[in-house]
Amino acid sequence: MTTEKAKAPLSPPLSPGSAGGEEVGRASLLQRLTVQTSERAACDLLRRARTVDHAEGPWLEIGDRRLLAFCSNDYLGLARHPQLIAAFKRVADDEGVGSTAAHLVCGHRREHAELEEALAEWTGRERALLFSTGYMANLGVMQALLRRGDLCVQDKLNHACLLDGAALAGATLRRYPHGDAAAAARQLASDPQASTLLATDGVFSMDGDRAPLRELAALCRRDGATLMVDDAHGLGLLGPEGAGSVAEAGLGTREVPVLMATLGKALGTQGAFVAGSAALIEGLTQFARTYVYTTAMPPALAAAALAAVRLARADGWRRDKLAALIARFRGGATQLGLPLAASDTPIQPLLLGDAASALAAATALEARGLLVGAIRPPTVPAGQARLRITLSAAHEEEHVDRLLDALAALPRALGDRPV
Ligand SMILES: *Cc1c(COP(=O)(O)O)cnc(C)c1O
């Protein structure tokens, strides 16, 4: 997520004429960006994409190394499932690759319509609307619902795209301390006249804990605010048949009118959707610009996602296996005195504090053949850098044990472990 700090200008103003000696009256944008980048590098905060040559379940081949990964969001181990691959290939053979147009032009295919129906049914909503990514879904929803002068109340640890969505819509953004429903109530009360959206992650992406959905829902009902839940990390994992954290909390469309989730995490594919009343979906179809003005996802991808929805609902054993792996990891990590977070989801962060420690721990694990993400500011608040360990039904017990062995071997200075 984005923090205030991340938005503050980091670089000093450049003097006019500093771009290659030309006499120009303004600072060069590229030069400013370069300065910002080098400042980030100086604080151990540079980000860089790794090229994965081959992925096979939790195993990744990078260059000449084969690493056991604990950093993907493929929680149910569906990304390589033969039924997903078969659906993807069949529709690619029959329909081609690109959808060739936006949904509202001629890009909306039968595979999209079937997937929307399945998602609405699974989440217990009247209708669902597909977006090409979760980021776009959140921007589109907020743009359609909110206007300047409206209030958008959000948890401080919400995903970056929820924060960006409120900013783009021009609403007044007020954030409350993580998971604090009483503080959320105070933010709602700060402007009782304003039309208000309260938006929260269902499961927090970097912490793995859950939002107090029932309290937030009660609050929104009392104060006439609309509740939106981003369940990117709850769908497929929590609730009956994996219908998500909103279903687990027993909340329907009345309590949570706007439910968003992605297809790129537990469902192992790509894309996202918003589910809710027919009126909500009709409105988004008209006014969500990230739905209207973009090419529909490939129909083969929609077909693969539909296969994933069916498996996610039917394969309760995947959730059971994952729960056993999570318990094994937490049991072992507790014995080692590791700085575990209060999470019972597959997201199991180890809070290490400064960015350099998180990076050093990730490097040490990689030397032992394990790939774990070091999450640093501005994705998490300063001083809360961490290893973001994620477990998957594609892992086996011996994989978790290997991770625990490697964590036990980390120098004691990495993290606040007792001797
Ligand atoms: C991943 C994520 C998104 C963005 O979804 P994409 O489909 O990857 O763009 C939105 N919200 C949350 C909470 C996420 O974790």
Side-chain angles (χ1 to χ4, degrees):
M1 55 152 277
T2 323
T3 63
E4 313 293 15
K5 193 163 161 279
K7 289 200 173 133
L10 290 165
S11 23
L14 296 168
S15 57
S18 57
E22 278 172 59
E23 274 311 309
V24 289
R26 35 179 144 246
S28 150
L29 293 178
L30 275 183
Q31 198 173 356
R32 187 173 70 194
L33 183 64
T34 306
V35 170
Q36 268 179 274
T37 305
S38 41
E39 281 170 357
R40 207 172 241 204
C43 323
D44 284 323
L45 295 178
L46 212 57
R47 301 149 183 262
R48 194 153 273 149
R50 310 276 300 261
T51 303
V52 174
D53 296 301
H54 180 61
E56 186 110 21
W59 293 96
L60 299 181
E61 282 174 29
I62 298 180
D64 56 2
R65 300 203 63 206
R66 190 159 179 266
L67 300 170
L68 181 58
F70 290 91
C71 46
S72 99
N73 300 317
D74 181 24
Y75 304 123
L76 294 177
L78 291 176
R80 293 184 63 89
H81 194 287
Q83 287 181 29
L84 270 68
I85 298 168
F88 193 90
K89 283 183 177 162
R90 176 177 48 76
V91 175
D93 281 343
D94 292 352
E95 306 295 329
V97 176
S99 69
T100 76
H103 285 278
L104 299 178
V105 179
C106 59
H108 190 65
R109 308 293 191 84
R110 177 192 302 162
E111 290 76 15
H112 298 123
E114 287 174 356
L115 176 58
E116 286 177 341
E117 271 181 40
L119 291 166
E121 212 246 316
W122 189 21
T123 55
R125 264 70 186 160
E126 263 183 314
R127 286 187 60 194
L129 190 70
L130 288 176
F131 286 80
S132 294
T133 71
Y135 209 120
M136 290 168 69
N138 282 341
L139 294 188
V141 166
M142 293 208 173
Q143 207 173 32
L145 285 176
L146 293 169
R147 301 181 188 167
R148 197 161 296 284
D150 290 346
L151 184 60
C152 186
V153 174
Q154 298 203 24
D155 190 292
K156 274 208 166 167
L157 296 190
N158 272 357
H159 192 271
C161 58
L162 286 169
L163 302 168
D164 292 356
L168 185 65
T172 304
L173 174 64
R174 295 245 164 83
R175 302 196 295 163
Y176 55 88
H178 179 50
D180 187 342
R186 287 194 290 278
Q187 294 292 34
L188 282 184
S190 70
D191 187 351
Q193 297 308 312
S195 296
T196 301
L197 182 72
L198 193 155
T200 183
D201 286 17
V203 172
F204 289 86
S205 52
M206 297 299 139
D207 293 74
D209 59 341
R210 301 169 209 202
L213 290 181
R214 295 185 65 85
E215 283 108 303
L216 294 174
L219 196 63
C220 286
R221 259 181 94 69
R222 191 192 70 196
D223 289 4
T226 301
L227 180 56
M228 170 177 186
V229 175
D230 173 341
D231 209 22
H233 299 276
L235 187 76
L237 300 173
L238 304 175
E241 290 186 15
S245 56
V246 174
E248 183 188 49
L251 302 171
T253 307
R254 215 166 45 131
E255 294 86 13
V256 181
V258 187
L259 171 59
M260 172 274 184
T262 71
L263 308 173
K265 281 147 189 166
L267 293 174
T269 57
Q270 163 87 48
F273 68 96
V274 176
S277 66
L280 172 74
I281 299 308
E282 184 60 39
L284 293 180
T285 305
Q286 308 310 314
F287 299 111
R289 294 167 65 86
T290 55
Y291 172 80
V292 176
Y293 296 108
T294 200
T295 303
M297 69 166 68
L301 184 59
L306 179 58
V309 168
R310 291 181 175 143
L311 286 163
R313 294 186 72 166
D315 285 2
W317 66 265
R318 292 177 190 276
R319 283 180 284 278
D320 297 342
K321 181 178 177 193
L322 191 51
L325 294 172
I326 294 167
R328 191 178 186 88
F329 173 75
R330 289 189 66 83
T334 303
Q335 275 184 358
L336 292 171
L338 296 172
L340 272 179
S343 158
D344 63 352
T345 67
I347 303 165
Q348 291 291 330
L350 291 182
L351 294 151
L352 297 184
D354 61 300
S357 299
L359 210 52
T363 306
L365 291 175
E366 192 172 329
R368 298 175 66 103
L370 300 163
L371 195 65
V372 176
I375 309 290
R376 298 162 289 162
T379 304
V380 292
Q384 293 186 30
R386 63 197 66 188
L387 291 177
R388 179 178 183 264
I389 293 166
T390 52
L391 298 169
S392 163
H395 285 127
E396 302 300 338
E397 286 185 352
E398 77 218 36
H399 297 150
V400 171
D401 294 347
R402 229 175 113 175
L403 173 63
L404 288 167
D405 288 347
L407 289 169
L410 286 182
R412 202 168 55 81
L414 303 175
D416 303 316
R417 290 198 283 141
V419 187

Short mmCIF file of all heavy atoms in Angstrom, two decimals, residues 154-189:
data_model
loop_
_atom_site.label_atom_id
_atom_site.label_comp_id
_atom_site.label_asym_id
_atom_site.label_seq_id
_atom_site.Cartn_x
_atom_site.Cartn_y
_atom_site.Cartn_z
N GLN A 154 -11.32 4.51 5.02
CA GLN A 154 -10.57 3.29 4.71
C GLN A 154 -9.62 2.90 5.83
O GLN A 154 -9.05 3.75 6.50
CB GLN A 154 -9.72 3.50 3.44
CG GLN A 154 -10.52 3.80 2.19
CD GLN A 154 -9.74 3.46 0.93
OE1 GLN A 154 -8.84 2.63 0.94
NE2 GLN A 154 -10.12 4.10 -0.17
N ASP A 155 -9.42 1.60 5.95
CA ASP A 155 -8.40 1.06 6.85
C ASP A 155 -7.02 1.52 6.34
O ASP A 155 -6.76 1.54 5.14
CB ASP A 155 -8.46 -0.48 6.83
CG ASP A 155 -7.60 -1.13 7.90
OD1 ASP A 155 -6.36 -1.04 7.83
OD2 ASP A 155 -8.19 -1.75 8.81
N LYS A 156 -6.14 1.85 7.28
CA LYS A 156 -4.80 2.34 6.91
C LYS A 156 -4.00 1.33 6.12
O LYS A 156 -3.10 1.69 5.38
CB LYS A 156 -4.01 2.71 8.16
CG LYS A 156 -4.28 4.12 8.60
CD LYS A 156 -3.11 4.72 9.35
CE LYS A 156 -3.35 6.23 9.41
NZ LYS A 156 -2.49 6.91 10.35
N LEU A 157 -4.30 0.04 6.30
CA LEU A 157 -3.51 -0.98 5.60
C LEU A 157 -4.20 -1.52 4.35
O LEU A 157 -3.80 -2.55 3.82
CB LEU A 157 -3.16 -2.13 6.57
CG LEU A 157 -2.27 -1.75 7.75
CD1 LEU A 157 -1.81 -3.00 8.49
CD2 LEU A 157 -1.07 -0.92 7.33
N ASN A 158 -5.24 -0.79 3.89
CA ASN A 158 -5.87 -1.23 2.64
C ASN A 158 -4.88 -1.28 1.50
O ASN A 158 -3.89 -0.55 1.49
CB ASN A 158 -7.00 -0.25 2.27
CG ASN A 158 -8.33 -0.62 2.90
OD1 ASN A 158 -8.44 -1.64 3.57
ND2 ASN A 158 -9.33 0.21 2.69
N HIS A 159 -5.21 -2.11 0.52
CA HIS A 159 -4.38 -2.21 -0.68
C HIS A 159 -4.27 -0.86 -1.39
O HIS A 159 -5.23 -0.08 -1.40
CB HIS A 159 -5.02 -3.24 -1.62
CG HIS A 159 -4.12 -3.66 -2.74
ND1 HIS A 159 -4.09 -3.00 -3.94
CD2 HIS A 159 -3.21 -4.66 -2.83
CE1 HIS A 159 -3.20 -3.60 -4.74
NE2 HIS A 159 -2.66 -4.61 -4.08
N ALA A 160 -3.12 -0.64 -2.01
CA ALA A 160 -2.84 0.64 -2.67
C ALA A 160 -3.94 1.07 -3.64
O ALA A 160 -4.26 2.26 -3.74
CB ALA A 160 -1.50 0.54 -3.41
N CYS A 161 -4.56 0.11 -4.33
CA CYS A 161 -5.50 0.54 -5.37
C CYS A 161 -6.81 1.05 -4.79
O CYS A 161 -7.51 1.83 -5.44
CB CYS A 161 -5.72 -0.55 -6.42
SG CYS A 161 -6.31 -2.12 -5.84
N LEU A 162 -7.14 0.68 -3.56
CA LEU A 162 -8.32 1.26 -2.91
C LEU A 162 -8.04 2.73 -2.56
O LEU A 162 -8.89 3.61 -2.72
CB LEU A 162 -8.70 0.49 -1.65
CG LEU A 162 -9.35 -0.88 -1.88
CD1 LEU A 162 -9.42 -1.66 -0.57
CD2 LEU A 162 -10.74 -0.74 -2.48
N LEU A 163 -6.83 2.97 -2.08
CA LEU A 163 -6.45 4.35 -1.75
C LEU A 163 -6.41 5.19 -3.02
O LEU A 163 -6.94 6.30 -3.07
CB LEU A 163 -5.09 4.35 -1.04
CG LEU A 163 -5.05 3.52 0.25
CD1 LEU A 163 -3.63 3.33 0.74
CD2 LEU A 163 -5.92 4.16 1.33
N ASP A 164 -5.79 4.63 -4.06
CA ASP A 164 -5.71 5.36 -5.33
C ASP A 164 -7.10 5.62 -5.91
O ASP A 164 -7.35 6.66 -6.51
CB ASP A 164 -4.89 4.56 -6.36
CG ASP A 164 -3.42 4.47 -5.99
OD1 ASP A 164 -3.02 5.09 -4.97
OD2 ASP A 164 -2.68 3.78 -6.69
N GLY A 165 -8.00 4.66 -5.74
CA GLY A 165 -9.35 4.80 -6.28
C GLY A 165 -10.07 5.99 -5.68
O GLY A 165 -10.72 6.77 -6.38
N ALA A 166 -9.93 6.14 -4.37
CA ALA A 166 -10.59 7.27 -3.69
C ALA A 166 -9.99 8.59 -4.16
O ALA A 166 -10.71 9.57 -4.41
CB ALA A 166 -10.45 7.11 -2.18
N ALA A 167 -8.66 8.61 -4.32
CA ALA A 167 -7.99 9.84 -4.75
C ALA A 167 -8.43 10.21 -6.17
O ALA A 167 -8.77 11.37 -6.45
CB ALA A 167 -6.48 9.65 -4.69
N LEU A 168 -8.48 9.21 -7.04
CA LEU A 168 -8.85 9.47 -8.44
C LEU A 168 -10.29 9.96 -8.54
O LEU A 168 -10.63 10.78 -9.39
CB LEU A 168 -8.67 8.18 -9.25
CG LEU A 168 -8.88 8.30 -10.75
CD1 LEU A 168 -7.83 9.21 -11.38
CD2 LEU A 168 -8.83 6.94 -11.41
N ALA A 169 -11.16 9.46 -7.67
CA ALA A 169 -12.56 9.86 -7.71
C ALA A 169 -12.76 11.26 -7.11
O ALA A 169 -13.84 11.83 -7.23
CB ALA A 169 -13.41 8.84 -6.94
N GLY A 170 -11.73 11.79 -6.46
CA GLY A 170 -11.84 13.14 -5.90
C GLY A 170 -12.55 13.18 -4.57
O GLY A 170 -12.90 14.25 -4.06
N ALA A 171 -12.79 12.01 -3.96
CA ALA A 171 -13.46 11.97 -2.66
C ALA A 171 -12.48 12.37 -1.56
O ALA A 171 -11.27 12.32 -1.75
CB ALA A 171 -14.00 10.58 -2.39
N THR A 172 -13.02 12.75 -0.40
CA THR A 172 -12.17 13.03 0.75
C THR A 172 -11.84 11.70 1.41
O THR A 172 -12.73 10.98 1.85
CB THR A 172 -12.93 13.92 1.76
OG1 THR A 172 -13.34 15.10 1.06
CG2 THR A 172 -12.04 14.28 2.94
N LEU A 173 -10.54 11.38 1.46
CA LEU A 173 -10.10 10.10 2.02
C LEU A 173 -9.76 10.28 3.49
O LEU A 173 -8.95 11.13 3.86
CB LEU A 173 -8.88 9.59 1.25
CG LEU A 173 -8.22 8.32 1.78
CD1 LEU A 173 -9.16 7.13 1.71
CD2 LEU A 173 -6.94 8.01 0.99
N ARG A 174 -10.41 9.49 4.35
CA ARG A 174 -10.05 9.49 5.78
C ARG A 174 -9.72 8.07 6.17
O ARG A 174 -10.54 7.17 6.00
CB ARG A 174 -11.23 9.98 6.63
CG ARG A 174 -11.61 11.41 6.38
CD ARG A 174 -11.37 12.27 7.62
NE ARG A 174 -11.37 13.69 7.27
CZ ARG A 174 -12.47 14.42 7.13
NH1 ARG A 174 -13.65 13.88 7.35
NH2 ARG A 174 -12.39 15.69 6.79
N ARG A 175 -8.52 7.89 6.74
CA ARG A 175 -8.10 6.54 7.09
C ARG A 175 -8.16 6.32 8.59
O ARG A 175 -8.02 7.26 9.37
CB ARG A 175 -6.69 6.29 6.56
CG ARG A 175 -6.67 6.50 5.03
CD ARG A 175 -5.46 5.92 4.39
NE ARG A 175 -4.24 6.59 4.81
CZ ARG A 175 -3.03 6.06 4.64
NH1 ARG A 175 -2.89 4.87 4.10
NH2 ARG A 175 -1.97 6.72 5.03
N TYR A 176 -8.40 5.10 8.99
CA TYR A 176 -8.43 4.78 10.42
C TYR A 176 -7.38 3.72 10.72
O TYR A 176 -6.98 2.96 9.84
CB TYR A 176 -9.83 4.31 10.85
CG TYR A 176 -10.40 3.14 10.08
CD1 TYR A 176 -10.16 1.83 10.46
CD2 TYR A 176 -11.21 3.36 8.97
CE1 TYR A 176 -10.69 0.75 9.76
CE2 TYR A 176 -11.74 2.29 8.26
CZ TYR A 176 -11.47 1.00 8.65
OH TYR A 176 -11.99 -0.05 7.95
N PRO A 177 -6.90 3.69 11.98
CA PRO A 177 -5.89 2.70 12.36
C PRO A 177 -6.38 1.29 12.04
O PRO A 177 -7.57 1.00 12.16
CB PRO A 177 -5.72 2.91 13.86
CG PRO A 177 -6.19 4.30 14.12
CD PRO A 177 -7.27 4.56 13.11
N HIS A 178 -5.43 0.45 11.66
CA HIS A 178 -5.74 -0.89 11.17
C HIS A 178 -6.71 -1.67 12.06
O HIS A 178 -6.46 -1.85 13.25
CB HIS A 178 -4.43 -1.65 11.03
CG HIS A 178 -4.61 -3.04 10.54
ND1 HIS A 178 -5.36 -3.34 9.45
CD2 HIS A 178 -4.14 -4.23 11.01
CE1 HIS A 178 -5.35 -4.65 9.25
NE2 HIS A 178 -4.61 -5.21 10.19
N GLY A 179 -7.82 -2.10 11.44
CA GLY A 179 -8.76 -2.99 12.11
C GLY A 179 -9.57 -2.36 13.24
O GLY A 179 -10.26 -3.08 13.96
N ASP A 180 -9.52 -1.05 13.37
CA ASP A 180 -10.13 -0.37 14.51
C ASP A 180 -11.52 0.17 14.14
O ASP A 180 -11.64 1.26 13.58
CB ASP A 180 -9.19 0.76 14.95
CG ASP A 180 -9.64 1.43 16.24
OD1 ASP A 180 -10.82 1.28 16.62
OD2 ASP A 180 -8.80 2.12 16.84
N ALA A 181 -12.56 -0.62 14.43
CA ALA A 181 -13.92 -0.23 14.03
C ALA A 181 -14.38 1.03 14.77
O ALA A 181 -15.12 1.84 14.20
CB ALA A 181 -14.89 -1.38 14.28
N ALA A 182 -13.96 1.21 16.01
CA ALA A 182 -14.36 2.42 16.75
C ALA A 182 -13.76 3.66 16.08
O ALA A 182 -14.44 4.70 15.96
CB ALA A 182 -13.90 2.32 18.20
N ALA A 183 -12.53 3.55 15.61
CA ALA A 183 -11.90 4.67 14.91
C ALA A 183 -12.59 4.91 13.57
O ALA A 183 -12.74 6.06 13.14
CB ALA A 183 -10.41 4.40 14.72
N ALA A 184 -13.03 3.83 12.93
CA ALA A 184 -13.77 3.97 11.68
C ALA A 184 -15.05 4.76 11.94
O ALA A 184 -15.44 5.62 11.14
CB ALA A 184 -14.08 2.60 11.09
N ALA A 185 -15.70 4.46 13.07
CA ALA A 185 -16.95 5.17 13.43
C ALA A 185 -16.67 6.66 13.59
O ALA A 185 -17.47 7.50 13.15
CB ALA A 185 -17.51 4.59 14.73
N ARG A 186 -15.55 7.00 14.20
CA ARG A 186 -15.22 8.42 14.37
C ARG A 186 -14.98 9.09 13.01
O ARG A 186 -15.38 10.23 12.80
CB ARG A 186 -13.97 8.57 15.25
CG ARG A 186 -14.26 8.25 16.74
CD ARG A 186 -13.14 8.71 17.65
NE ARG A 186 -11.91 7.94 17.50
CZ ARG A 186 -11.69 6.75 18.09
NH1 ARG A 186 -12.62 6.22 18.88
NH2 ARG A 186 -10.55 6.13 17.91
N GLN A 187 -14.36 8.37 12.10
CA GLN A 187 -14.15 8.97 10.76
C GLN A 187 -15.48 9.15 10.04
O GLN A 187 -15.68 10.15 9.35
CB GLN A 187 -13.20 8.09 9.92
CG GLN A 187 -11.78 8.01 10.45
CD GLN A 187 -11.02 9.34 10.33
OE1 GLN A 187 -11.61 10.42 10.45
NE2 GLN A 187 -9.72 9.24 10.12
N LEU A 188 -16.40 8.19 10.21
CA LEU A 188 -17.73 8.35 9.59
C LEU A 188 -18.43 9.57 10.17
O LEU A 188 -19.12 10.31 9.45
CB LEU A 188 -18.60 7.11 9.87
CG LEU A 188 -18.37 5.86 9.05
CD1 LEU A 188 -19.41 4.81 9.41
CD2 LEU A 188 -18.44 6.15 7.56
N ALA A 189 -18.25 9.78 11.48
CA ALA A 189 -18.95 10.88 12.16
C ALA A 189 -18.33 12.24 11.82
O ALA A 189 -18.93 13.28 12.07
CB ALA A 189 -18.90 10.66 13.67
#
